[in-house]
Amino acid sequence: MDLQRVWCGVCIYAVVILVFFNNRCSVTAGDIVQVDDSTPKKPGCENDFILVKVQTWVDGIEDSEFVGVGARFGTTIESKEKNANQTRIMLSDPRDGCTPPTIKLAGEIVVVDRGHCKFTTKANVAQAAGASAVLIINNQRELYKMICEPDETDLDIHIPAVMLPQDAGASMEKMLMKNSSVSVQLYSPRRPLVDLAEAFLWLMAVATILCASYWSAWSVREASIEQDKLLKDASHDFSSTKDIGTKGVVDINTTSAVLFVVVASCFLIIIYKLMSSWFVELLVVLFAIGGAEGLQTCLVALLSRWFKRTAESFIKVPFFGAVSYLTLSVSPFCIAFAVVWAVYRNAPFAWIGQDVLGIALILTVLQIVCVPNLKVGTVLLSCAFLYDIFWVFLSKSLFHESVMIVVAGADKSGEDGIPMLLKIPRMFDPWGGYSIIGFGDILLPGLLVAFSLRYDWLANKSLRAGYFLWAMFAYGFGLLITYVALNLMDGHGQPALLYIVPFTLGTFLALGRKRGDLKILWTRGEPERVCPHVQLQPTQESNLEK
């Protein structure tokens, strides 16, 4: 048994479970502007909820930076750092800020605790006392949206109000307890409409499908050439050649395509209910195993061109059976690479290792799993299309939140999210974060694109006359539209397959119908080939006619 076959099942298992769970394009830095229809606006209480940077200065020296959220009421926050004034802060006395403070304020920012009265009451009291802004410290580590009560009328508030998490308030209190002069800057920088990271991520996704398609088509063509040679050498014995095919390739059918989505939905619910730090660690281990196997497969396939003798020399290894010397040489590096990434996955540079392992895993899966015809591809992508829409948008009606976005961001575990995605740090975003794309948004359309190139090569079609070029254009354009929609929605998570599937699948179906190949694409998935090595014997009836 080859080492690659041993890990093949593990690789497919990990991807089947996890590939759908990050099926979205999104940004992990958090939404800068949050529109909440559940808290309706009214005069004096109509601000959008925006994230606010609170930069602290202790005795004139720059110190910690905290992130808060602006209130529905009060004045808007300055967007440019250079225009934001450094203003001293003071602790309110009493701390809840519900009654006029005992200290005199002359334009300082007052820090109050949450509780005992309405948010608007705290803001009105601070404004009447002469404060220039009010920082409300939450009694939890999370942020809370400060809204107005339906019956409130005293909303003539002309100072900004910002809520900070509990740990930020504790840090500020320690600074003030040292009798230091503490000042802050309040500003909410705007996120750029387009970040260069999204362009690189687009190129990464397109290039991954491009490489995987050519690798898959090349493997099928090599198998076809080998089959023709065997048929030529054994044309008299069909029984010895009828089982020839591409080894190690799994052709999925319509039933497995539907079950794929059903099983993924079940596991998505399980992860949603059991999401915790230990469960995320388990998923990290699965990803590391699949990524190490994928990296090994890719390196062996690449290096075997130069080290052919090493790749064709085998040694028996307990449990694994016959393993090539090249595989034995590459495996330790791949395992070490995956282990190092898993250990340091929270480091700033860990995204590089995650992308390397992720791309290798996608390339490997696209060699193992194949769509045999357009019918199976249509069923698979259509089910994935409905799956994406339901778990991103419609699941809110059942679970009161988007299950897909919660799982993809690991919001319940406090972790950075499960690693089944490619990500690149946003380069010009003052809020930082990552632009990400789920594996499913590359892998599932990639199955159809790879099928198109295999068909073109078997049918001896040119690039322009075939289907692959147009399928690649359709995928790239669909992914581009996804990023446009993402930016128009202010960074809210978008199901990428909502845009990719109609473009990719629609283009394939329309082009096949126009060219008259739709029946063959839908049923056989490959053109009929005339075997020149088999000479058919004339029948008795044809001899009598002569």
Side-chain angles (χ1 to χ4, degrees):
M1 183 186 301
D2 189 83
L3 182 60
Q4 179 175 344
R5 294 186 181 182
V6 172
W7 288 107
C8 177
V10 177
C11 184
I12 295 178
Y13 174 75
V15 173
V16 168
I17 294 178
L18 301 175
V19 70
F20 277 111
F21 298 165
N22 285 280
N23 231 15
R24 66 182 183 117
C25 274
S26 188
V27 176
T28 60
D31 299 333
I32 304 306
V33 179
Q34 302 183 22
V35 180
D36 191 348
D37 295 332
S38 63
T39 56
K41 299 179 181 180
K42 61 181 179 179
C45 190
E46 52 190 1
N47 296 337
D48 289 325
F49 295 109
I50 61 172
L51 294 181
V52 179
K53 289 195 174 188
V54 181
Q55 176 64 58
T56 61
W57 300 75
V58 180
D59 294 329
I61 301 175
E62 186 174 357
D63 205 276
S64 304
E65 181 183 84
F66 307 105
V67 176
V69 61
R72 181 71 97 187
F73 51 86
T75 57
T76 57
I77 307 294
E78 176 61 48
S79 61
K80 295 182 179 179
E81 181 181 4
K82 64 180 181 180
N83 295 336
N85 297 323
Q86 291 187 31
T87 309
R88 286 189 60 193
I89 62 173
M90 299 183 66
L91 289 175
S92 175
D93 185 16
R95 291 294 301 271
D96 58 19
C98 295
T99 56
T102 59
I103 56 176
K104 293 183 179 180
L105 299 176
E108 291 89 355
I109 296 176
V110 64
V111 181
V112 304
D113 291 338
R114 178 184 176 183
H116 301 141
C117 62
K118 300 176 182 178
F119 294 124
T120 52
T121 301
K122 298 177 186 291
N124 277 313
V125 170
Q127 179 177 268
S132 61
V134 57
L135 299 179
I136 301 176
I137 307 303
N138 196 11
N139 51 16
Q140 298 176 3
R141 296 183 61 185
E142 294 79 15
L143 294 174
Y144 185 84
K145 296 179 180 179
M146 297 185 289
I147 62 175
C148 307
E149 298 293 336
D151 57 347
E152 285 193 76
T153 57
D154 190 10
L155 297 174
D156 189 21
I157 302 173
H158 301 291
I159 62 173
V162 177
M163 172 165 282
L164 289 173
Q166 188 177 41
D167 53 352
S171 298
M172 284 187 175
E173 185 175 355
K174 289 181 180 178
M175 296 175 187
L176 291 169
M177 289 300 179
K178 296 178 180 179
N179 296 322
S180 302
S181 175
V182 182
S183 58
V184 299
Q185 279 182 302
L186 304 179
Y187 62 101
S188 180
R190 296 176 181 175
R191 170 167 286 160
L193 183 61
V194 178
D195 193 271
L196 191 59
E198 294 172 354
F200 282 114
L201 201 61
W202 183 90
L203 288 173
M204 189 184 298
V206 172
T208 300
I209 291 183
L210 184 69
C211 294
S213 299
Y214 271 97
W215 188 7
S216 176
W218 178 85
S219 299
V220 170
R221 187 167 65 176
E222 289 292 308
S224 178
I225 294 174
E226 181 181 355
Q227 182 177 6
D228 287 343
K229 290 181 179 179
L230 292 174
L231 286 172
K232 184 177 180 180
D233 296 338
S235 58
H236 61 281
D237 186 7
F238 288 102
S239 60
S240 63
T241 60
K242 62 181 181 180
D243 294 327
I244 297 174
T246 305
K247 296 181 179 179
V249 174
V250 178
D251 285 336
I252 58 178
N253 52 35
T254 54
T255 303
S256 59
V258 175
L259 287 177
F260 189 54
V261 178
V262 173
V263 171
S265 297
C266 294
F267 275 99
L268 182 64
I269 296 175
I270 293 174
I271 288 186
Y272 173 73
K273 295 296 184 181
L274 299 179
M275 181 62 70
S276 58
S277 58
W278 70 266
F279 202 84
V280 171
E281 295 298 331
L282 176 62
L283 299 180
V284 168
V285 171
L286 285 176
F287 172 74
I289 293 174
E293 161 60 18
L295 186 60
Q296 173 214 289
T297 302
C298 294
L299 289 178
V300 169
L302 181 65
L303 295 176
S304 61
R305 307 300 172 199
W306 294 280
F307 303 96
K308 190 172 183 180
R309 179 177 297 179
T310 308
E312 294 176 351
S313 301
F314 293 87
I315 184 175
K316 285 188 176 182
V317 178
F319 180 74
F320 295 108
V323 180
S324 69
Y325 284 100
L326 183 58
T327 300
L328 283 179
S329 302
V330 169
S331 294
F333 168 77
C334 298
I335 295 173
F337 189 92
V339 170
V340 170
W341 169 83
V343 173
Y344 296 99
R345 72 185 189 90
N346 293 322
F349 56 83
W351 64 273
I352 300 175
Q354 180 169 321
D355 289 349
V356 170
L357 293 174
I359 291 174
L361 179 59
I362 293 174
L363 290 173
T364 301
V365 172
L366 287 175
Q367 309 315 304
I368 297 174
V369 182
C370 290
V371 171
N373 52 51
L374 188 55
K375 178 183 177 181
V376 174
T378 301
V379 172
L380 178 63
L381 289 182
S382 298
C383 291
F385 176 80
L386 297 175
Y387 169 95
D388 234 10
I389 294 176
F390 178 81
W391 288 113
V392 173
F393 295 128
L394 302 182
S395 62
K396 294 180 181 179
S397 60
L398 297 177
F399 300 91
H400 307 293
E401 59 186 348
S402 175
V403 174
M404 179 73 76
I405 292 180
V406 170
V407 171
D411 293 345
K412 291 188 174 183
S413 66
E415 300 289 331
D416 291 334
I418 60 179
M420 298 297 288
L421 49 83
L422 303 181
K423 63 181 184 178
I424 297 180
R426 294 179 65 85
M427 302 177 185
F428 303 106
D429 192 336
W431 294 95
Y434 295 89
S435 292
I436 68 174
I437 182 172
F439 283 5
D441 303 326
I442 302 175
L443 182 58
L444 297 177
L447 291 171
L448 187 65
V449 175
F451 163 73
S452 69
L453 185 60
R454 291 196 301 270
Y455 180 85
D456 287 351
W457 280 18
L458 291 175
N460 294 320
K461 289 182 177 289
S462 64
L463 190 62
R464 186 173 180 180
Y467 294 92
F468 172 71
L469 179 64
W470 307 107
M472 281 298 307
F473 275 140
Y475 173 78
F477 187 71
L479 186 58
L480 181 63
I481 295 298
T482 302
Y483 282 110
V484 172
L486 178 67
N487 287 298
L488 291 178
M489 296 295 180
D490 293 316
H492 290 275
Q494 293 293 302
L497 294 182
L498 175 64
Y499 309 96
I500 294 175
V501 169
F503 281 103
T504 307
L505 186 59
T507 299
F508 212 146
L509 291 171
L511 201 59
R513 181 181 179 85
K514 181 180 179 181
R515 293 176 174 177
D517 298 332
L518 187 57
K519 184 177 181 180
I520 296 177
L521 290 168
W522 188 264
T523 55
R524 289 176 52 84
E526 62 180 33
E528 296 184 7
R529 294 187 300 161
V530 178
C531 182
H533 314 301
V534 179
Q535 300 295 331
L536 297 179
Q537 297 296 329
T539 63
Q540 184 177 2
E541 294 178 354
S542 62
N543 289 333
L544 292 176
E545 290 178 359
K546 293 181 179 180

